[in-house]
Coordinates of all heavy atoms in Angstrom, one line a residue:
F253 N 88.6 66.2 118.6 CA 87.3 66.7 118.6 C 86.3 65.5 119.1 O 85.4 65.6 119.9 CB 86.8 67.2 117.3 CG 87.1 68.6 117.0 CD1 87.5 69.0 115.8 CD2 86.8 69.5 118.1 CE1 87.8 70.3 115.5 CE2 87.1 70.9 117.7 CZ 87.6 71.3 116.5
A254 N 86.6 64.2 118.6 CA 85.8 63.0 119.0 C 85.9 62.8 120.4 O 84.9 62.1 120.9 CB 86.3 61.8 118.1
N255 N 87.0 63.0 121.0 CA 87.3 62.6 122.4 C 87.0 63.8 123.3 O 87.3 63.7 124.5 CB 88.7 62.1 122.6 CG 88.8 60.8 121.9 OD1 88.1 60.0 121.8 ND2 90.1 60.6 121.3
G256 N 86.4 65.0 122.8 CA 86.2 66.1 123.6 C 87.3 66.8 124.2 O 87.3 67.4 125.2
E257 N 88.5 66.7 123.4 CA 89.7 67.2 123.9 C 89.9 68.8 123.3 O 90.5 69.0 122.4 CB 91.0 66.4 123.5 CG 90.9 65.2 124.2 CD 92.0 64.3 123.7 OE1 92.9 64.6 122.9 OE2 92.1 63.0 124.1
F258 N 89.1 69.7 123.9 CA 88.9 70.9 123.4 C 90.1 71.9 123.9 O 90.7 71.6 124.8 CB 87.6 71.6 123.7 CG 86.4 70.7 123.2 CD1 85.3 70.6 124.1 CD2 86.3 70.0 121.9 CE1 84.3 69.8 123.7 CE2 85.3 69.3 121.6 CZ 84.3 69.1 122.5
P259 N 90.3 73.0 123.2 CA 91.4 74.0 123.6 C 91.2 74.4 125.1 O 90.0 74.6 125.6 CB 91.2 75.1 122.7 CG 90.6 74.6 121.4 CD 89.7 73.4 121.9
K260 N 92.2 74.5 125.8 CA 92.2 74.8 127.3 C 92.4 76.4 127.5 O 92.2 76.8 128.6 CB 93.2 74.0 128.1 CG 93.2 72.6 127.9 CD 91.9 72.1 128.4 CE 91.9 70.5 128.4 NZ 90.6 70.1 128.7
D261 N 92.7 77.2 126.4 CA 92.9 78.7 126.6 C 91.6 79.2 127.0 O 90.5 78.9 126.6 CB 93.4 79.2 125.4 CG 92.8 78.9 124.1 OD1 92.3 77.7 124.0 OD2 92.7 79.7 123.1
D262 N 91.7 80.4 127.7 CA 90.7 81.1 128.1 C 90.2 82.2 127.2 O 91.0 83.0 126.8 CB 91.0 81.9 129.6 CG 89.8 82.5 130.2 OD1 88.7 82.1 130.0 OD2 90.0 83.4 131.0
Y263 N 88.9 82.2 126.7 CA 88.5 83.2 125.7 C 87.0 83.4 126.1 O 86.3 82.6 126.6 CB 88.8 82.8 124.4 CG 88.2 81.4 124.1 CD1 86.9 81.4 123.4 CD2 88.6 80.2 124.3 CE1 86.3 80.1 123.1 CE2 88.2 79.0 124.1 CZ 87.0 78.9 123.4 OH 86.3 77.8 123.0
V264 N 86.6 84.6 125.6 CA 85.2 85.1 125.8 C 84.4 84.2 124.8 O 84.5 84.0 123.7 CB 85.0 86.5 125.3 CG1 83.5 86.9 125.4 CG2 85.8 87.5 126.3
G265 N 83.3 83.7 125.5 CA 82.3 82.9 124.7 C 82.6 81.4 124.6 O 82.1 80.7 123.8
S266 N 83.5 80.9 125.4 CA 84.0 79.6 125.4 C 82.9 78.6 125.6 O 82.7 77.5 125.0 CB 85.2 79.2 126.4 OG 84.7 79.6 127.7
H267 N 81.9 79.0 126.5 CA 80.7 78.1 126.7 C 79.8 78.0 125.5 O 79.4 76.7 125.3 CB 80.0 78.7 127.9 CG 79.3 80.0 127.6 ND1 80.0 81.1 127.4 CD2 78.0 80.4 127.4 CE1 79.2 82.2 127.1 NE2 78.0 81.7 127.2
I268 N 79.8 78.9 124.5 CA 79.1 78.9 123.3 C 79.7 78.0 122.4 O 79.2 77.1 121.7 CB 78.8 80.3 122.7 CG1 78.0 81.2 123.8 CG2 78.2 80.2 121.4 CD1 77.8 82.6 123.2
V269 N 81.0 78.2 122.2 CA 81.8 77.4 121.3 C 81.8 75.9 121.7 O 81.5 75.0 120.8 CB 83.3 77.9 121.3 CG1 84.2 76.9 120.5 CG2 83.4 79.3 120.7
E270 N 82.0 75.5 123.0 CA 82.0 74.2 123.3 C 80.6 73.6 123.1 O 80.5 72.3 122.9 CB 82.5 74.0 124.8 CG 84.0 74.4 124.9 CD 84.6 73.7 126.2 OE1 84.0 73.2 126.8 OE2 85.9 74.2 126.3
S271 N 79.5 74.4 123.4 CA 78.3 73.8 123.1 C 77.9 73.5 121.8 O 77.4 72.6 121.4 CB 77.2 74.9 123.6 OG 77.2 74.9 125.0
C272 N 78.6 74.2 120.8 CA 78.6 74.0 119.5 C 79.2 72.6 119.1 O 78.9 71.7 118.4 CB 79.2 75.1 118.6 SG 78.3 76.7 118.5
W273 N 80.4 72.5 119.7 CA 81.3 71.2 119.4 C 80.6 70.0 120.1 O 80.8 68.9 119.6 CB 82.7 71.6 120.0 CG 83.5 72.4 119.1 CD1 83.3 72.7 117.9 CD2 84.6 73.1 119.7 NE1 84.3 73.7 117.5 CE2 85.1 74.0 118.5 CE3 85.4 73.3 120.9 CZ2 86.3 74.8 118.6 CZ3 86.4 74.1 120.9 CH2 86.9 74.8 119.8
K274 N 80.0 70.2 121.2 CA 79.4 69.1 121.9 C 78.0 68.7 121.2 O 77.3 67.9 121.5 CB 79.1 69.3 123.3 CG 80.4 69.5 124.1 CD 80.1 69.8 125.6 CE 81.4 70.0 126.3 NZ 81.2 70.5 127.7
G275 N 77.6 69.6 120.2 CA 76.2 69.2 119.5 C 75.0 69.5 120.4 O 74.0 69.0 120.2
E276 N 75.2 70.5 121.3 CA 74.1 70.7 122.3 C 73.1 71.8 121.6 O 72.0 72.0 122.3 CB 74.6 71.4 123.5 CG 75.5 70.4 124.3 CD 76.1 70.9 125.5 OE1 76.2 72.0 125.6 OE2 76.7 70.0 126.3
Y277 N 73.4 72.5 120.6 CA 72.4 73.4 120.1 C 71.6 72.7 118.9 O 72.2 71.8 118.2 CB 73.2 74.5 119.4 CG 73.8 75.6 120.3 CD1 75.2 75.8 120.3 CD2 72.9 76.3 121.1 CE1 75.8 76.7 121.3 CE2 73.4 77.3 122.0 CZ 74.9 77.4 122.1 OH 75.4 78.4 123.0
V278 N 70.4 73.1 118.8 CA 69.5 72.5 117.8 C 69.4 73.5 116.7 O 69.1 72.9 115.4 CB 68.0 72.3 118.5 CG1 67.1 71.8 117.3 CG2 68.2 71.4 119.6

Side-chain angles (χ1 to χ4, degrees):
F253 276 139
N255 294 320
E257 297 172 4
F258 305 137
K260 302 300 183 184
D261 49 323
D262 185 26
Y263 57 95
V264 173
S266 59
H267 64 293
I268 296 175
V269 171
E270 292 197 8
S271 290
C272 290
W273 287 338
K274 292 176 181 177
E276 294 176 349
Y277 288 114
V278 176

